[in-house]
Amino acid sequence: MSLWQHRIFRILASKPANVCKRCRFSAKLEPIGIFEPADDTKQYVTGQLFLHRIFGYRGIILIPWDVKVYDRDEFATRSYQTNSSNSNRDSSDNHSRAGNDDAGRIRGKRKEESSERGTESAVEQTMSQASTQSRLFYSVLMDERDWKHVKYRTQTEGVTFLHETEENSPFFTIPGLDYVSHDDIMPYSSLSLKPIQHNLLDKFISYEPTTEPPFVARHALKEWTSRNRFWLEPTDVYKETTNDIRVTVIPFYMGCKMKNDTGGNGGSLALNNYSGTVPQYWWRYCIRLENIGTQNVQLCERNWRIFSMNGSLETVRARGVNGVEPLLSMDMPAFQYSSHVSLYTPSGHMWGTFRIRTRAGKAFDVKVPPFTLESKTASRDISGSTDDEPEK
C-alpha cells in the first residue's frame, strides 16, 4: 500500500490489546470519505475535497488559477522529435541542410557569445527554450490535523505577504495555505459537515447540502481574493529535469517596502529593516524537488544567481536549504520549501543549481530553471501597499 493510501485512514486511538501477545497496542481506523474519479478534462471548483497525491494531506480547494507553465523538458522532447523527423529525409536534403546547420551553429555560437556579454539576454534566451502551456493550479487549505504528518517540508506551507503598517517585522504568514497542481489533486467526497480543520474554513467556506460539492465560497473569500489577488495569484510556473530530479518553481510577487538608502548598496540583496526612501521589491518563491528515478539521493548544497535589472548580479552559495539537507528517497521522493528574495528594481531573474549526492558518493548538479521576478504593481507600490490579512 502506498503512502497516500495509508493517509486515507486516520488512527483515532490506541488501546492495550490481548488479542496478540506480540502486539502491545491496537488501533481503530476511520475512513475519511469516498474517492471520486480524477478528471483531467475539467476544472475542480471551490469546495472540492482532495488528498494531495505527493504529500498525502487532506485539503479543500479555495481558488482555481489558470497559470502559464514554462516546461524545459517538453521543449527538449519536441526538439528531439523534430530532429529525429528531419533525419529521415533523403540524402540530398541532408546535404543541403548540413551547410545550413553549419551556418546555423556558427550564428548560434556567435549569438551565445554575444548573450554572455549581457546576463539579461542570456537568461531571456534560456527561458525561451521552454514549452509554454496553460495549466490549472489551486489555492487550497490544508487540514491542520495533517500538518505534522507532512515530512517532506522544512515547515508547514503557508502564504507570506507584506503588511504596510509593519516595518521591523515585514512578513505575515497564513499557515496551511498551499498551491497544488491539477495533477496532484485526488478528489474525494465526505458526509462530514466539517471535513477539514482550519481556522479560515468557516470564514471562507459555507455548507450547502443542495450543491455539488456541498461546500461553496462565502462572499468573504471572493472579496479577500479580489483585494489581494496580486500576491495570491501564481502567474507563472517553471519546470526542468536533470538526471531524474525534477525542479518546479512558482514565484509570487509580494509587494514593496521603503528602505533607507545606506549609500551604494542599492544593488545588493538586502533582507533586513524597512523604512526610508528606496523602494525594495519582494518575492516569495516555492520550490519542489522530485526524484523520479530509481536511486536515493540527497540535496547537499544550493547555488543561486540573482540578477537585477539595474545590472547587478549576486551569487548565493550555501549548504542545504532552509537549514536541512533533505533525502529524496523512494519512500519520500519529493521535498518542497519556500523562501524570499528582494531587489531594488521592480524586476529581475533568478536561476541556479542544487548539488545532489548519491549513496555511492557521486555528486552532480541539478538545474533550477531560470524564472522571472516581476512586479505587478510597481507604479503604486511606492505610494503604499494594500496587503490585507484575513480577519480571524
Side-chain angles (χ1 to χ4, degrees), residues 203-235:
K203 177 180 175 60
F204 287 158
I205 300 293
S206 64
Y207 178 76
E208 300 290 343
T210 59
T211 66
E212 184 58 39
F215 304 99
V216 298
R218 292 184 183 271
H219 177 71
L221 174 60
K222 299 175 182 178
E223 186 180 55
W224 181 68
T225 303
S226 175
R227 188 169 60 247
N228 301 287
R229 187 181 184 94
F230 80 91
W231 58 261
L232 280 174
E233 181 179 17
T235 55

Short mmCIF file of all heavy atoms in Angstrom, two decimals, residues 203-235:
data_model
loop_
_atom_site.label_atom_id
_atom_site.label_comp_id
_atom_site.label_asym_id
_atom_site.label_seq_id
_atom_site.Cartn_x
_atom_site.Cartn_y
_atom_site.Cartn_z
N LYS A 203 -14.74 30.97 7.72
CA LYS A 203 -14.76 32.32 7.17
C LYS A 203 -14.91 32.31 5.65
O LYS A 203 -15.60 33.16 5.08
CB LYS A 203 -13.47 33.06 7.54
CG LYS A 203 -13.36 34.47 6.93
CD LYS A 203 -12.07 35.13 7.34
CE LYS A 203 -11.93 36.48 6.63
NZ LYS A 203 -13.01 37.41 6.94
N PHE A 204 -14.29 31.32 5.00
CA PHE A 204 -14.26 31.30 3.55
C PHE A 204 -15.25 30.34 2.91
O PHE A 204 -15.64 30.54 1.76
CB PHE A 204 -12.85 30.91 3.08
CG PHE A 204 -11.82 31.99 3.26
CD1 PHE A 204 -10.48 31.66 3.33
CD2 PHE A 204 -12.19 33.32 3.36
CE1 PHE A 204 -9.51 32.65 3.48
CE2 PHE A 204 -11.23 34.31 3.51
CZ PHE A 204 -9.90 33.98 3.58
N ILE A 205 -15.68 29.29 3.63
CA ILE A 205 -16.49 28.24 3.03
C ILE A 205 -17.75 28.02 3.86
O ILE A 205 -17.70 27.99 5.09
CB ILE A 205 -15.70 26.91 2.95
CG1 ILE A 205 -14.43 27.08 2.10
CG2 ILE A 205 -16.56 25.80 2.39
CD1 ILE A 205 -14.70 27.35 0.63
N SER A 206 -18.88 27.84 3.17
CA SER A 206 -20.13 27.50 3.85
C SER A 206 -20.65 26.17 3.32
O SER A 206 -20.33 25.75 2.20
CB SER A 206 -21.18 28.59 3.63
OG SER A 206 -21.52 28.69 2.25
N TYR A 207 -21.45 25.51 4.14
CA TYR A 207 -22.01 24.20 3.76
C TYR A 207 -23.39 24.40 3.14
O TYR A 207 -24.28 25.00 3.74
CB TYR A 207 -22.11 23.30 4.99
CG TYR A 207 -22.73 21.95 4.70
CD1 TYR A 207 -22.01 20.96 4.04
CD2 TYR A 207 -24.04 21.67 5.09
CE1 TYR A 207 -22.58 19.72 3.77
CE2 TYR A 207 -24.61 20.43 4.83
CZ TYR A 207 -23.88 19.47 4.16
OH TYR A 207 -24.45 18.24 3.90
N GLU A 208 -23.56 23.92 1.91
CA GLU A 208 -24.83 24.00 1.20
C GLU A 208 -25.19 22.60 0.70
O GLU A 208 -24.66 22.14 -0.32
CB GLU A 208 -24.74 24.97 0.02
CG GLU A 208 -24.40 26.40 0.39
CD GLU A 208 -25.54 27.09 1.12
OE1 GLU A 208 -26.68 26.59 1.04
OE2 GLU A 208 -25.28 28.13 1.75
N PRO A 209 -26.08 21.87 1.40
CA PRO A 209 -26.34 20.46 1.06
C PRO A 209 -26.94 20.23 -0.31
O PRO A 209 -26.88 19.12 -0.83
CB PRO A 209 -27.31 20.02 2.16
CG PRO A 209 -27.93 21.28 2.67
CD PRO A 209 -26.88 22.34 2.54
N THR A 210 -27.48 21.28 -0.94
CA THR A 210 -28.11 21.10 -2.24
C THR A 210 -27.14 21.26 -3.40
O THR A 210 -27.52 21.07 -4.56
CB THR A 210 -29.26 22.11 -2.41
OG1 THR A 210 -28.75 23.45 -2.30
CG2 THR A 210 -30.33 21.88 -1.36
N THR A 211 -25.92 21.64 -3.14
CA THR A 211 -24.94 21.83 -4.21
C THR A 211 -23.97 20.65 -4.26
O THR A 211 -23.92 19.83 -3.34
CB THR A 211 -24.15 23.12 -4.00
OG1 THR A 211 -23.34 23.00 -2.82
CG2 THR A 211 -25.07 24.31 -3.87
N GLU A 212 -23.21 20.58 -5.35
CA GLU A 212 -22.21 19.52 -5.51
C GLU A 212 -20.91 20.14 -6.07
O GLU A 212 -20.90 20.62 -7.20
CB GLU A 212 -22.72 18.44 -6.47
CG GLU A 212 -21.79 17.26 -6.62
CD GLU A 212 -21.49 16.57 -5.31
OE1 GLU A 212 -22.42 16.42 -4.47
OE2 GLU A 212 -20.33 16.17 -5.10
N PRO A 213 -19.85 20.15 -5.28
CA PRO A 213 -19.76 19.67 -3.89
C PRO A 213 -20.55 20.57 -2.95
O PRO A 213 -20.85 21.72 -3.29
CB PRO A 213 -18.26 19.73 -3.60
CG PRO A 213 -17.75 20.81 -4.49
CD PRO A 213 -18.55 20.72 -5.74
N PRO A 214 -20.87 20.06 -1.75
CA PRO A 214 -21.75 20.82 -0.84
C PRO A 214 -21.04 21.92 -0.06
O PRO A 214 -21.56 22.38 0.95
CB PRO A 214 -22.27 19.73 0.11
CG PRO A 214 -21.18 18.73 0.15
CD PRO A 214 -20.57 18.71 -1.22
N PHE A 215 -19.87 22.35 -0.52
CA PHE A 215 -19.12 23.43 0.13
C PHE A 215 -18.90 24.53 -0.90
O PHE A 215 -18.36 24.29 -1.98
CB PHE A 215 -17.79 22.91 0.67
CG PHE A 215 -17.94 21.74 1.60
CD1 PHE A 215 -17.73 20.45 1.14
CD2 PHE A 215 -18.30 21.92 2.92
CE1 PHE A 215 -17.88 19.35 1.99
CE2 PHE A 215 -18.46 20.84 3.77
CZ PHE A 215 -18.25 19.56 3.30
N VAL A 216 -19.34 25.73 -0.57
CA VAL A 216 -19.29 26.84 -1.54
C VAL A 216 -18.57 28.03 -0.92
O VAL A 216 -18.44 28.15 0.30
CB VAL A 216 -20.71 27.25 -1.97
CG1 VAL A 216 -21.42 26.10 -2.67
CG2 VAL A 216 -21.53 27.73 -0.78
N ALA A 217 -18.11 28.92 -1.80
CA ALA A 217 -17.35 30.09 -1.36
C ALA A 217 -18.28 31.12 -0.74
O ALA A 217 -19.34 31.46 -1.30
CB ALA A 217 -16.61 30.70 -2.54
N ARG A 218 -17.89 31.62 0.41
CA ARG A 218 -18.60 32.75 1.01
C ARG A 218 -18.16 34.05 0.32
O ARG A 218 -17.15 34.10 -0.39
CB ARG A 218 -18.27 32.85 2.50
CG ARG A 218 -18.83 31.71 3.35
CD ARG A 218 -18.52 31.98 4.82
NE ARG A 218 -18.97 30.90 5.68
CZ ARG A 218 -20.19 30.82 6.22
NH1 ARG A 218 -21.07 31.80 5.96
NH2 ARG A 218 -20.51 29.82 6.99
N HIS A 219 -18.93 35.09 0.55
CA HIS A 219 -18.59 36.40 -0.01
C HIS A 219 -17.22 36.86 0.49
O HIS A 219 -16.47 37.52 -0.24
CB HIS A 219 -19.66 37.42 0.35
CG HIS A 219 -19.36 38.81 -0.14
ND1 HIS A 219 -19.40 39.16 -1.47
CD2 HIS A 219 -18.97 39.94 0.55
CE1 HIS A 219 -19.07 40.43 -1.60
NE2 HIS A 219 -18.81 40.93 -0.40
N ALA A 220 -16.88 36.50 1.71
CA ALA A 220 -15.60 36.92 2.29
C ALA A 220 -14.43 36.38 1.49
O ALA A 220 -13.41 37.06 1.33
CB ALA A 220 -15.51 36.46 3.74
N LEU A 221 -14.54 35.15 0.97
CA LEU A 221 -13.47 34.58 0.17
C LEU A 221 -13.32 35.34 -1.14
O LEU A 221 -12.20 35.67 -1.56
CB LEU A 221 -13.73 33.10 -0.11
CG LEU A 221 -12.74 32.41 -1.06
CD1 LEU A 221 -11.33 32.48 -0.51
CD2 LEU A 221 -13.15 30.96 -1.32
N LYS A 222 -14.42 35.62 -1.80
CA LYS A 222 -14.37 36.35 -3.07
C LYS A 222 -13.81 37.75 -2.88
O LYS A 222 -12.99 38.23 -3.68
CB LYS A 222 -15.77 36.41 -3.68
CG LYS A 222 -16.37 35.04 -3.98
CD LYS A 222 -17.81 35.15 -4.47
CE LYS A 222 -18.41 33.78 -4.73
NZ LYS A 222 -19.83 33.86 -5.16
N GLU A 223 -14.23 38.41 -1.82
CA GLU A 223 -13.75 39.76 -1.54
C GLU A 223 -12.26 39.76 -1.22
O GLU A 223 -11.50 40.60 -1.70
CB GLU A 223 -14.54 40.36 -0.39
CG GLU A 223 -14.23 41.82 -0.09
CD GLU A 223 -15.04 42.35 1.07
OE1 GLU A 223 -14.99 41.74 2.15
OE2 GLU A 223 -15.72 43.37 0.89
N TRP A 224 -11.84 38.81 -0.38
CA TRP A 224 -10.44 38.72 0.02
C TRP A 224 -9.55 38.39 -1.18
O TRP A 224 -8.47 38.96 -1.35
CB TRP A 224 -10.29 37.64 1.09
CG TRP A 224 -8.91 37.46 1.61
CD1 TRP A 224 -8.18 38.33 2.37
CD2 TRP A 224 -8.08 36.30 1.41
NE1 TRP A 224 -6.94 37.79 2.66
CE2 TRP A 224 -6.86 36.55 2.09
CE3 TRP A 224 -8.26 35.09 0.76
CZ2 TRP A 224 -5.82 35.62 2.11
CZ3 TRP A 224 -7.23 34.16 0.79
CH2 TRP A 224 -6.03 34.43 1.45
N THR A 225 -10.01 37.50 -2.06
CA THR A 225 -9.26 37.15 -3.26
C THR A 225 -9.10 38.34 -4.17
O THR A 225 -8.01 38.60 -4.70
CB THR A 225 -9.95 36.00 -4.01
OG1 THR A 225 -10.10 34.87 -3.14
CG2 THR A 225 -9.16 35.60 -5.24
N SER A 226 -10.17 39.08 -4.38
CA SER A 226 -10.12 40.24 -5.26
C SER A 226 -9.19 41.32 -4.70
O SER A 226 -8.43 41.94 -5.45
CB SER A 226 -11.54 40.81 -5.44
OG SER A 226 -11.52 41.99 -6.18
N ARG A 227 -9.22 41.51 -3.39
CA ARG A 227 -8.43 42.57 -2.77
C ARG A 227 -6.94 42.25 -2.74
O ARG A 227 -6.10 43.15 -2.79
CB ARG A 227 -8.95 42.82 -1.35
CG ARG A 227 -8.34 44.03 -0.67
CD ARG A 227 -9.08 44.38 0.60
NE ARG A 227 -9.06 43.30 1.58
CZ ARG A 227 -10.11 42.61 1.98
NH1 ARG A 227 -11.31 42.87 1.45
NH2 ARG A 227 -10.02 41.66 2.88
N ASN A 228 -6.60 40.96 -2.67
CA ASN A 228 -5.20 40.55 -2.52
C ASN A 228 -4.70 39.70 -3.67
O ASN A 228 -3.75 38.94 -3.51
CB ASN A 228 -5.04 39.79 -1.20
CG ASN A 228 -5.46 40.60 0.00
OD1 ASN A 228 -4.78 41.52 0.41
ND2 ASN A 228 -6.62 40.25 0.55
N ARG A 229 -5.31 39.85 -4.81
CA ARG A 229 -5.01 38.97 -5.94
C ARG A 229 -3.54 39.03 -6.35
O ARG A 229 -2.96 38.01 -6.71
CB ARG A 229 -5.90 39.35 -7.13
CG ARG A 229 -5.79 38.37 -8.30
CD ARG A 229 -6.66 38.79 -9.47
NE ARG A 229 -6.62 37.79 -10.53
CZ ARG A 229 -7.50 36.81 -10.66
NH1 ARG A 229 -8.49 36.69 -9.80
NH2 ARG A 229 -7.39 35.95 -11.65
N PHE A 230 -2.93 40.21 -6.27
CA PHE A 230 -1.58 40.35 -6.83
C PHE A 230 -0.55 39.52 -6.08
O PHE A 230 0.46 39.10 -6.66
CB PHE A 230 -1.16 41.82 -6.93
CG PHE A 230 -0.66 42.42 -5.63
CD1 PHE A 230 0.69 42.37 -5.30
CD2 PHE A 230 -1.52 43.05 -4.77
CE1 PHE A 230 1.15 42.94 -4.13
CE2 PHE A 230 -1.06 43.62 -3.60
CZ PHE A 230 0.27 43.56 -3.27
N TRP A 231 -0.76 39.24 -4.78
CA TRP A 231 0.20 38.37 -4.08
C TRP A 231 -0.34 36.95 -3.86
O TRP A 231 0.38 36.08 -3.39
CB TRP A 231 0.67 38.98 -2.75
CG TRP A 231 -0.38 39.32 -1.73
CD1 TRP A 231 -0.93 40.54 -1.48
CD2 TRP A 231 -0.96 38.44 -0.77
NE1 TRP A 231 -1.83 40.48 -0.45
CE2 TRP A 231 -1.87 39.19 0.01
CE3 TRP A 231 -0.82 37.08 -0.49
CZ2 TRP A 231 -2.62 38.63 1.05
CZ3 TRP A 231 -1.58 36.52 0.54
CH2 TRP A 231 -2.46 37.30 1.29
N LEU A 232 -1.59 36.71 -4.22
CA LEU A 232 -2.17 35.37 -4.13
C LEU A 232 -2.02 34.57 -5.43
O LEU A 232 -1.88 33.36 -5.40
CB LEU A 232 -3.66 35.46 -3.79
CG LEU A 232 -4.07 35.70 -2.35
CD1 LEU A 232 -5.59 35.91 -2.27
CD2 LEU A 232 -3.65 34.54 -1.46
N GLU A 233 -2.04 35.27 -6.55
CA GLU A 233 -2.13 34.59 -7.84
C GLU A 233 -0.78 34.07 -8.32
O GLU A 233 0.18 34.84 -8.43
CB GLU A 233 -2.70 35.54 -8.89
CG GLU A 233 -2.86 34.91 -10.26
CD GLU A 233 -3.44 35.86 -11.27
OE1 GLU A 233 -3.42 37.09 -11.02
OE2 GLU A 233 -3.91 35.39 -12.32
N PRO A 234 -0.67 32.78 -8.63
CA PRO A 234 0.52 32.25 -9.28
C PRO A 234 0.41 32.43 -10.79
O PRO A 234 -0.37 31.74 -11.45
CB PRO A 234 0.51 30.76 -8.88
CG PRO A 234 -0.95 30.44 -8.72
CD PRO A 234 -1.65 31.72 -8.32
N THR A 235 1.16 33.35 -11.35
CA THR A 235 1.02 33.65 -12.77
C THR A 235 1.89 32.76 -13.65
O THR A 235 1.53 32.46 -14.79
CB THR A 235 1.36 35.12 -13.05
OG1 THR A 235 2.68 35.39 -12.54
CG2 THR A 235 0.36 36.04 -12.38
#
